Protein backbone atom coordinates (compact mmCIF):
# COMPACT_ATOMS: atom_id res chain seq x y z
CA UNK A 1 0.00 0.00 0.00
CA UNK A 2 1.66 3.24 -1.16
CA UNK A 3 0.33 5.45 1.64
CA UNK A 4 1.76 3.23 4.30
CA UNK A 5 5.07 2.80 2.53
CA UNK A 6 5.66 6.50 1.98
CA UNK A 7 4.74 7.40 5.53
CA UNK A 8 6.74 4.46 6.88
CA UNK A 9 9.73 5.90 5.01
CA UNK A 10 9.09 9.20 6.76
CA UNK A 11 9.01 7.65 10.25
CA UNK A 12 12.58 8.65 11.11
CA UNK A 13 12.00 12.28 10.13
CA UNK A 14 8.65 12.47 11.97
CA UNK A 15 10.26 10.86 15.04
CA UNK A 16 12.89 13.60 15.07
CA UNK A 17 10.17 16.29 15.03
CA UNK A 18 8.31 14.44 17.79
CA UNK A 19 11.34 14.19 20.06
CA UNK A 20 12.17 17.85 19.59
CA UNK A 21 8.61 18.75 20.64
CA UNK A 22 8.90 16.34 23.56
CA UNK A 23 12.05 18.05 24.78
CA UNK A 24 10.34 21.44 24.64
CA UNK A 25 6.85 21.04 26.12
CA UNK A 26 4.52 24.04 26.39
CA UNK A 27 1.36 24.28 28.47
CA UNK A 28 -2.18 25.40 27.60
CA UNK A 29 -2.17 28.44 25.26
CA UNK A 30 1.59 29.09 25.73
CA UNK A 31 2.49 26.90 22.75
CA UNK A 32 4.50 29.70 21.11
CA UNK A 33 7.55 27.69 20.11
CA UNK A 34 5.46 24.69 19.04
CA UNK A 35 3.06 26.83 16.99
CA UNK A 36 5.97 28.60 15.29
CA UNK A 37 7.57 25.26 14.36
CA UNK A 38 4.27 23.91 13.04
CA UNK A 39 3.66 27.04 10.93
CA UNK A 40 7.22 27.01 9.59
CA UNK A 41 7.00 23.36 8.60
CA UNK A 42 3.62 23.78 6.93
CA UNK A 43 5.08 26.68 4.90
CA UNK A 44 8.05 24.53 4.01
CA UNK A 45 5.82 21.69 2.81
CA UNK A 46 4.18 24.10 0.37
CA UNK A 47 0.77 24.41 1.98
CA UNK A 48 -1.42 26.82 0.00
CA UNK A 49 -2.20 28.84 3.09
CA UNK A 50 -0.87 28.88 6.65
CA UNK A 51 -2.71 30.95 9.26
CA UNK A 52 -1.51 31.49 12.84
CA UNK A 53 -3.24 33.08 15.81
CA UNK A 54 -6.57 31.26 15.52
CA UNK A 55 -7.82 30.50 19.04
CA UNK A 56 -4.80 32.51 20.30
CA UNK A 57 -1.90 30.14 19.45
CA UNK A 58 -3.72 27.73 17.10
CA UNK A 59 -2.36 27.12 13.58
CA UNK A 60 -4.25 26.13 10.43
CA UNK A 61 -2.77 24.92 7.13
CA UNK A 62 -4.66 24.55 3.85
CA UNK A 63 -3.66 21.96 1.22
CA UNK A 64 -5.51 21.97 -2.09
CA UNK A 65 -5.85 18.74 -4.03
CA UNK A 66 -6.12 18.14 -7.74
CA UNK A 67 -9.75 18.59 -8.81
CA UNK A 68 -12.48 21.09 -8.11
CA UNK A 69 -14.91 19.01 -6.06
CA UNK A 70 -15.30 21.76 -3.46
CA UNK A 71 -15.06 19.21 -0.68
CA UNK A 72 -13.19 20.29 2.50
CA UNK A 73 -12.03 17.99 5.29
CA UNK A 74 -10.51 19.15 8.60
CA UNK A 75 -7.86 17.05 10.41
CA UNK A 76 -7.07 18.10 13.97
CA UNK A 77 -4.12 17.53 16.32
CA UNK A 78 -3.44 18.98 19.78
CA UNK A 79 -0.09 20.59 20.70
CA UNK A 80 -0.08 21.26 24.45
CA UNK A 81 1.74 19.50 27.30
CA UNK A 82 0.87 19.01 30.98
CA UNK A 83 2.12 20.52 34.26
CA UNK A 84 3.86 17.29 35.31
CA UNK A 85 7.49 16.70 36.28
CA UNK A 86 8.86 14.15 33.80
CA UNK A 87 10.41 10.95 35.18
CA UNK A 88 11.13 8.99 32.01
CA UNK A 89 14.89 9.49 32.08
CA UNK A 90 14.86 9.70 28.27
CA UNK A 91 17.71 11.45 26.49
CA UNK A 92 15.12 13.77 24.96
CA UNK A 93 13.18 14.27 28.23
CA UNK A 94 11.62 17.65 28.96
CA UNK A 95 14.07 20.50 29.39
CA UNK A 96 11.39 22.50 31.19
CA UNK A 97 10.92 21.55 34.82
CA UNK A 98 7.26 21.04 35.66
CA UNK A 99 6.12 20.64 32.05
CA UNK A 100 5.87 17.39 30.15
CA UNK A 101 4.31 15.86 27.06
CA UNK A 102 2.56 13.23 29.18
CA UNK A 103 -0.45 12.79 26.90
CA UNK A 104 1.36 12.24 23.59
CA UNK A 105 0.26 15.50 21.97
CA UNK A 106 3.87 15.74 20.73
CA UNK A 107 3.17 12.56 18.76
CA UNK A 108 -0.21 13.81 17.54
CA UNK A 109 1.33 17.03 16.25
CA UNK A 110 4.24 15.21 14.58
CA UNK A 111 1.96 12.64 12.91
CA UNK A 112 -0.35 15.30 11.49
CA UNK A 113 2.68 17.25 10.27
CA UNK A 114 3.86 14.05 8.57
CA UNK A 115 0.48 13.61 6.90
CA UNK A 116 0.52 17.29 5.84
CA UNK A 117 3.92 16.82 4.24
CA UNK A 118 2.77 13.70 2.40
CA UNK A 119 -0.49 15.34 1.24
CA UNK A 120 1.34 18.49 0.08
CA UNK A 121 3.77 16.35 -1.93
CA UNK A 122 1.23 14.01 -3.51
CA UNK A 123 -2.02 16.04 -3.73
CA UNK A 124 -3.67 12.84 -4.82
CA UNK A 125 -7.17 13.92 -3.77
CA UNK A 126 -9.99 16.04 -5.16
CA UNK A 127 -10.82 18.75 -2.63
CA UNK A 128 -9.16 20.65 0.20
CA UNK A 129 -7.52 19.45 3.40
CA UNK A 130 -7.46 21.79 6.40
CA UNK A 131 -4.92 20.72 9.02
CA UNK A 132 -5.79 22.10 12.46
CA UNK A 133 -3.23 22.36 15.29
CA UNK A 134 -4.86 23.43 18.54
CA UNK A 135 -3.42 24.65 21.84
CA UNK A 136 -4.90 24.07 25.32
CA UNK A 137 -6.61 20.71 24.94
CA UNK A 138 -5.80 19.89 28.57
CA UNK A 139 -8.58 21.83 30.25
CA UNK A 140 -8.14 25.16 28.45
CA UNK A 141 -10.69 24.74 25.68
CA UNK A 142 -8.31 25.72 22.85
CA UNK A 143 -10.44 23.81 20.35
CA UNK A 144 -13.48 25.76 21.44
CA UNK A 145 -11.58 29.03 21.03
CA UNK A 146 -10.59 28.07 17.48
CA UNK A 147 -14.25 27.35 16.71
CA UNK A 148 -15.31 30.62 18.38
CA UNK A 149 -12.82 32.41 16.09
CA UNK A 150 -14.93 31.18 13.17
CA UNK A 151 -12.44 28.59 11.94
CA UNK A 152 -15.01 26.17 10.49
CA UNK A 153 -16.72 28.88 8.41
CA UNK A 154 -13.52 30.67 7.42
CA UNK A 155 -11.95 27.53 5.94
CA UNK A 156 -15.24 25.98 4.83
CA UNK A 157 -14.64 22.79 6.81
CA UNK A 158 -17.40 20.26 6.05
CA UNK A 159 -16.31 17.36 8.22
CA UNK A 160 -13.60 16.99 10.85
CA UNK A 161 -11.53 14.17 12.35
CA UNK A 162 -9.35 13.71 15.44
CA UNK A 163 -7.02 11.05 16.87
CA UNK A 164 -5.53 10.12 20.23
CA UNK A 165 -2.90 7.54 21.16
CA UNK A 166 -4.02 4.86 23.60
CA UNK A 167 -1.62 3.10 26.01
CA UNK A 168 -2.36 -0.57 26.60
CA UNK A 169 -3.61 -1.11 23.06
CA UNK A 170 -1.28 -2.85 20.57
CA UNK A 171 0.88 -0.27 18.83
CA UNK A 172 -0.59 0.97 15.56
CA UNK A 173 -3.97 -0.78 16.01
CA UNK A 174 -7.18 1.27 16.02
CA UNK A 175 -10.36 1.51 18.13
CA UNK A 176 -13.41 3.74 17.86
CA UNK A 177 -17.06 3.92 18.84
CA UNK A 178 -20.02 5.64 17.25
CA UNK A 179 -22.13 8.05 19.31
CA UNK A 180 -21.14 9.25 22.78
CA UNK A 181 -17.48 8.42 23.38
CA UNK A 182 -15.87 10.79 25.95
CA UNK A 183 -17.79 12.22 28.95
CA UNK A 184 -18.90 15.75 29.72
CA UNK A 185 -17.04 16.93 32.81
CA UNK A 186 -18.79 19.66 34.83
CA UNK A 187 -18.25 21.31 38.22
CA UNK A 188 -20.68 22.88 40.64
CA UNK A 189 -20.50 25.06 43.72
CA UNK A 190 -23.48 25.78 45.97
CA UNK A 191 -23.31 28.54 48.59
CA UNK A 192 -26.02 28.11 51.23
CA UNK A 193 -26.92 31.08 53.39
CA UNK A 194 -29.03 30.66 56.53
CA UNK A 195 -29.02 32.89 59.57
CA UNK A 196 -26.05 32.41 61.86
CA UNK A 197 -26.08 32.86 65.59
CA UNK A 198 -25.57 31.32 69.00
CA UNK A 199 -25.64 27.52 68.94
CA UNK A 200 -27.67 27.51 72.17
CA UNK A 201 -30.47 29.57 70.61
CA UNK A 202 -31.74 27.50 67.66
CA UNK A 203 -35.08 29.33 67.70
CA UNK A 204 -33.29 32.51 66.59
CA UNK A 205 -31.28 31.07 63.68
CA UNK A 206 -31.76 29.34 60.34
CA UNK A 207 -29.30 26.48 60.75
CA UNK A 208 -27.19 26.56 57.61
CA UNK A 209 -25.64 23.15 58.27
CA UNK A 210 -28.97 21.39 58.69
CA UNK A 211 -30.07 22.88 55.37
CA UNK A 212 -26.75 21.89 53.78
CA UNK A 213 -27.09 18.31 54.99
CA UNK A 214 -30.57 18.03 53.50
CA UNK A 215 -29.26 19.35 50.18
CA UNK A 216 -26.39 16.82 50.09
CA UNK A 217 -28.79 13.94 50.70
CA UNK A 218 -31.42 15.26 48.29
CA UNK A 219 -28.80 15.54 45.53
CA UNK A 220 -28.26 11.78 45.80
CA UNK A 221 -31.72 11.28 44.33
CA UNK A 222 -30.76 12.91 41.01
CA UNK A 223 -28.84 9.96 39.57
CA UNK A 224 -30.89 7.28 41.35
CA UNK A 225 -34.39 8.74 40.79
CA UNK A 226 -34.24 11.17 37.85
CA UNK A 227 -31.70 9.79 35.36
CA UNK A 228 -32.75 6.91 33.10
CA UNK A 229 -31.04 3.89 34.71
CA UNK A 230 -29.63 2.63 31.42
CA UNK A 231 -27.72 5.91 30.96
CA UNK A 232 -24.47 6.93 32.68
CA UNK A 233 -24.21 9.76 35.21
CA UNK A 234 -22.12 10.52 38.27
CA UNK A 235 -22.89 13.27 40.77
CA UNK A 236 -20.40 13.54 43.63
CA UNK A 237 -20.34 16.17 46.35
CA UNK A 238 -16.64 16.39 47.11
CA UNK A 239 -16.32 19.28 49.55
CA UNK A 240 -18.43 20.87 52.32
CA UNK A 241 -17.19 23.84 54.31
CA UNK A 242 -18.89 26.33 56.62
CA UNK A 243 -18.02 29.82 57.75
CA UNK A 244 -17.92 28.69 61.39
CA UNK A 245 -14.95 26.97 62.97
CA UNK A 246 -16.36 27.13 66.52
CA UNK A 247 -18.34 24.53 68.49
CA UNK A 248 -20.90 27.06 69.67
CA UNK A 249 -21.55 29.15 66.55
CA UNK A 250 -24.09 28.34 63.86
CA UNK A 251 -22.55 29.53 60.59
CA UNK A 252 -24.08 32.10 58.32
CA UNK A 253 -22.92 30.32 55.15
CA UNK A 254 -21.72 26.95 53.90
CA UNK A 255 -20.25 25.94 50.54
CA UNK A 256 -20.61 22.64 48.70
CA UNK A 257 -18.47 21.64 45.74
CA UNK A 258 -18.72 18.67 43.43
CA UNK A 259 -18.47 17.19 39.98
CA UNK A 260 -20.89 15.79 37.40
CA UNK A 261 -20.00 13.30 34.66
CA UNK A 262 -22.48 12.45 31.93
CA UNK A 263 -22.47 10.75 28.54
CA UNK A 264 -25.53 12.34 26.89
CA UNK A 265 -26.42 16.02 26.40
CA UNK A 266 -30.00 15.50 27.64
CA UNK A 267 -28.72 13.78 30.81
CA UNK A 268 -26.30 16.65 31.36
CA UNK A 269 -29.14 19.19 31.03
CA UNK A 270 -31.33 17.14 33.36
CA UNK A 271 -28.66 16.83 36.08
CA UNK A 272 -27.90 20.55 36.01
CA UNK A 273 -31.59 21.40 36.14
CA UNK A 274 -32.22 19.02 39.07
CA UNK A 275 -29.21 20.28 41.06
CA UNK A 276 -30.55 23.80 40.75
CA UNK A 277 -34.17 22.93 41.56
CA UNK A 278 -33.37 20.67 44.54
CA UNK A 279 -30.88 23.10 46.09
CA UNK A 280 -33.21 26.08 45.74
CA UNK A 281 -36.38 24.45 46.98
CA UNK A 282 -34.67 22.60 49.84
CA UNK A 283 -33.10 25.84 51.03
CA UNK A 284 -36.40 27.65 50.65
CA UNK A 285 -38.23 25.01 52.70
CA UNK A 286 -35.97 25.82 55.64
CA UNK A 287 -35.93 29.59 55.15
CA UNK A 288 -32.41 29.72 53.68
CA UNK A 289 -31.18 30.88 50.26
CA UNK A 290 -28.68 29.40 47.80
CA UNK A 291 -26.42 30.64 45.06
CA UNK A 292 -25.49 28.01 42.51
CA UNK A 293 -22.52 28.09 40.17
CA UNK A 294 -22.64 25.32 37.58
CA UNK A 295 -19.64 25.33 35.22
CA UNK A 296 -19.86 23.34 32.05
CA UNK A 297 -16.44 22.22 30.97
CA UNK A 298 -16.12 19.99 27.88
CA UNK A 299 -19.37 18.61 26.46
CA UNK A 300 -19.93 14.94 25.68
CA UNK A 301 -17.82 14.03 22.68
CA UNK A 302 -20.16 12.39 20.19
CA UNK A 303 -18.82 10.58 17.12
CA UNK A 304 -21.13 10.89 14.12
CA UNK A 305 -22.28 7.56 12.76
CA UNK A 306 -21.53 8.02 9.03
CA UNK A 307 -18.10 9.58 9.63
CA UNK A 308 -17.25 6.88 12.19
CA UNK A 309 -17.87 4.44 9.35
CA UNK A 310 -15.32 6.28 7.18
CA UNK A 311 -12.84 6.32 10.05
CA UNK A 312 -13.21 2.56 10.47
CA UNK A 313 -12.80 1.97 6.74
CA UNK A 314 -9.55 3.98 6.68
CA UNK A 315 -8.27 2.23 9.83
CA UNK A 316 -8.95 -1.18 8.32
CA UNK A 317 -7.02 -0.22 5.20
CA UNK A 318 -4.06 0.86 7.32
CA UNK A 319 -4.01 -1.80 10.04
CA UNK A 320 -6.39 -4.49 8.83
CA UNK A 321 -8.77 -4.08 11.75
CA UNK A 322 -10.57 -1.56 13.97
CA UNK A 323 -12.01 -2.54 17.35
CA UNK A 324 -15.01 -1.14 19.19
CA UNK A 325 -13.67 1.18 21.91
CA UNK A 326 -15.23 1.37 25.40
CA UNK A 327 -16.80 4.56 26.81
CA UNK A 328 -14.19 6.93 28.28
CA UNK A 329 -15.13 9.00 31.36
CA UNK A 330 -12.37 11.54 30.63
CA UNK A 331 -13.14 14.74 28.69
CA UNK A 332 -11.95 15.82 25.21
CA UNK A 333 -11.90 19.34 23.77
CA UNK A 334 -12.48 17.93 20.26
CA UNK A 335 -16.11 17.58 21.41
CA UNK A 336 -16.63 21.26 20.47
CA UNK A 337 -15.48 20.65 16.88
CA UNK A 338 -17.80 17.65 16.62
CA UNK A 339 -20.66 19.89 17.78
CA UNK A 340 -19.96 22.21 14.84
CA UNK A 341 -19.29 19.66 12.10
CA UNK A 342 -19.88 15.96 11.50
CA UNK A 343 -16.81 13.86 12.11
CA UNK A 344 -15.15 11.22 14.23
CA UNK A 345 -12.34 10.69 16.74
CA UNK A 346 -10.26 7.52 16.73
CA UNK A 347 -7.79 5.88 19.13
CA UNK A 348 -4.45 4.53 17.91
CA UNK A 349 -2.62 1.96 20.05
CA UNK A 350 0.47 3.19 21.93
CA UNK A 351 1.55 -0.31 23.02
CA UNK A 352 2.46 -1.38 26.53
CA UNK A 353 3.44 2.00 28.00
CA UNK A 354 2.64 3.94 31.17
CA UNK A 355 -0.83 5.51 31.05
CA UNK A 356 -1.36 9.06 29.78
CA UNK A 357 -0.86 11.84 32.37
CA UNK A 358 1.75 9.66 34.16
CA UNK A 359 5.31 11.01 34.76
CA UNK A 360 6.76 7.90 33.04
CA UNK A 361 4.49 8.00 29.99
CA UNK A 362 6.02 8.38 26.53
CA UNK A 363 4.47 8.48 23.08
CA UNK A 364 5.44 5.40 21.07
CA UNK A 365 7.21 6.39 17.84
CA UNK A 366 6.30 3.02 16.34
CA UNK A 367 2.69 4.25 16.14
CA UNK A 368 3.75 6.98 13.67
CA UNK A 369 3.39 5.05 10.38
CA UNK A 370 -0.12 3.84 11.25
CA UNK A 371 -1.30 7.16 12.71
CA UNK A 372 0.02 9.33 9.88
CA UNK A 373 -1.21 6.85 7.26
CA UNK A 374 -4.71 6.93 8.73
CA UNK A 375 -4.87 10.67 8.06
CA UNK A 376 -3.65 10.26 4.49
CA UNK A 377 -5.88 7.26 3.83
CA UNK A 378 -8.94 9.09 5.14
CA UNK A 379 -8.32 12.04 2.81
CA UNK A 380 -7.67 9.94 -0.29
CA UNK A 381 -10.66 7.73 0.47
CA UNK A 382 -13.15 10.54 1.21
CA UNK A 383 -12.01 12.79 -1.65
CA UNK A 384 -10.77 10.41 -4.36
CA UNK A 385 -8.89 12.09 -7.20
CA UNK A 386 -10.48 11.72 -10.63
CA UNK A 387 -8.52 9.11 -12.56
NI1 LIG B 1 -4.56 13.98 25.40
Amino acid sequence: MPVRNRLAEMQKEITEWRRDLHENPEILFDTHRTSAIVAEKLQGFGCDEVVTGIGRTGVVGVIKGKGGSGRVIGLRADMDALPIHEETGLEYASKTDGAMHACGHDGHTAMLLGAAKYLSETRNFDGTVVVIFQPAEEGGGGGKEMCDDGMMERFGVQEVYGMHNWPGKPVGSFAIRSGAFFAATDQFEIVIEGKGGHAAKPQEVVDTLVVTSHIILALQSVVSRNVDPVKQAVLSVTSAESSSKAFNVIPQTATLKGTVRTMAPEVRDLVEERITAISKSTAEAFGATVEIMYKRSYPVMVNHETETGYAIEAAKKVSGDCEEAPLVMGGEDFAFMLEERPGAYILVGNGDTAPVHHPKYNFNDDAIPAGASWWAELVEMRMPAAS
Side-chain angles (χ1 to χ4, degrees):
M1 274 178 263
V3 170
R4 289 173 68 185
N5 290 345
R6 176 67 187 111
L7 280 153
E9 272 169 32
M10 288 166 63
Q11 184 181 353
K12 191 166 170 285
E13 185 182 15
I14 298 171
T15 298
E16 279 167 20
W17 302 341
R18 203 283 289 184
R19 294 184 177 188
D20 172 69
L21 296 174
H22 189 89
E23 208 170 350
N24 298 280
E26 294 173 301
I27 291 172
L28 288 169
F29 286 96
D30 289 328
T31 57
H32 301 286
R33 179 184 183 274
T34 309
S35 299
I37 286 172
V38 166
E40 191 192 304
K41 289 208 185 297
L42 294 177
Q43 297 276 12
F45 302 155
C47 284
D48 298 276
E49 201 184 338
V50 178
V51 184
T52 58
I54 299 183
R56 295 194 239 177
T57 38
V59 183
V60 171
V62 177
I63 307 162
K64 292 191 171 133
K66 279 168 181 160
S69 74
R71 298 200 35 72
V72 184
I73 290 185
L75 312 177
R76 169 278 200 181
D78 38 19
M79 303 187 287
D80 58 319
L82 283 156
I84 292 176
H85 178 75
E86 181 160 350
E87 294 174 14
T88 60
L90 293 164
E91 59 195 22
Y92 56 89
S94 170
K95 289 194 294 196
T96 311
D97 192 28
M100 174 189 177
H101 269 295
C103 201
H105 299 185
D106 48 347
H108 303 164
T109 297
M111 288 193 292
L112 187 55
L113 280 172
K117 183 175 181 184
Y118 167 87
L119 292 166
S120 301
E121 269 176 26
T122 53
R123 313 241 177 192
N124 191 29
F125 55 94
D126 184 357
T128 302
V129 174
V130 176
V131 285
I132 301 163
F133 295 86
Q134 76 150 88
E137 192 286 318
E138 299 288 358
K144 180 179 191 304
E145 289 217 17
M146 291 185 89
C147 289
D148 290 348
D149 266 0
M151 173 179 71
M152 296 297 184
E153 299 75 20
R154 176 169 173 181
F155 297 97
V157 176
Q158 295 161 348
E159 58 193 83
V160 68
Y161 296 88
M163 184 197 297
H164 207 292
N165 76 93
W166 210 249
K169 203 177 149 38
V171 65
S173 66
F174 290 94
I176 197 168
R177 69 182 294 124
S178 183
F181 194 176
F182 280 55
T185 54
D186 298 346
Q187 302 160 30
F188 63 85
E189 188 177 308
I190 303 165
V191 179
I192 299 104
E193 180 155 20
K195 187 181 168 206
H198 200 297
K201 294 182 174 175
Q203 75 280 15
E204 291 179 6
V205 305
V206 173
D207 191 334
T208 308
L209 288 182
V210 170
V211 182
T212 302
S213 307
H214 276 277
I215 290 175
I216 294 174
L217 286 177
L219 289 177
Q220 303 313 308
S221 70
V222 176
V223 174
S224 69
R225 301 290 86 183
N226 298 135
V227 175
D228 182 339
V230 300
K231 295 189 174 165
Q232 299 80 12
V234 180
L235 188 169
S236 295
V237 176
T238 55
S239 167
E241 280 185 357
S242 89
S243 58
S244 168
K245 302 290 173 246
F247 70 90
N248 56 357
V249 176
I250 287 173
Q252 179 76 15
T253 61
T255 304
L256 295 177
K257 289 180 184 169
T259 186
V260 173
R261 307 287 163 112
T262 51
M263 293 301 296
E266 68 276 13
V267 176
R268 187 187 204 191
D269 290 344
L270 173 73
V271 173
E272 180 179 358
E273 186 265 310
R274 293 304 299 150
I275 287 176
T276 306
I278 284 173
S279 305
K280 276 191 178 158
S281 49
T282 304
E284 202 178 271
F286 289 96
T289 57
V290 284
E291 254 184 61
I292 300 153
M293 187 279 301
Y294 191 94
K295 185 171 174 274
R296 291 189 168 216
S297 186
Y298 296 164
V300 182
M301 189 185 76
V302 182
N303 268 348
H304 298 240
E305 194 180 343
T306 309
E307 287 68 25
T308 301
Y310 301 142
I312 291 170
E313 216 180 314
K316 283 183 173 170
K317 281 193 182 163
V318 172
S319 283
D321 195 19
C322 187
E323 282 179 7
E324 165 120 1
L327 290 169
V328 178
M329 292 315 280
E332 171 53 72
D333 192 17
F334 189 62
F336 290 106
M337 296 195 191
L338 287 180
E339 283 190 338
E340 294 221 348
R341 294 293 184 272
Y345 184 89
I346 200 165
L347 306 179
V348 61
N350 201 52
D352 189 18
T353 65
V356 292
H357 295 212
H358 188 280
K360 288 199 161 71
Y361 166 85
N362 190 26
F363 177 80
N364 191 335
D365 293 314
D366 287 338
I368 288 172
S373 291
W374 182 76
W375 289 124
E377 187 63 51
L378 192 63
V379 167
E380 292 178 357
M381 187 189 83
R382 289 292 296 130
M383 304 191 291
S387 49

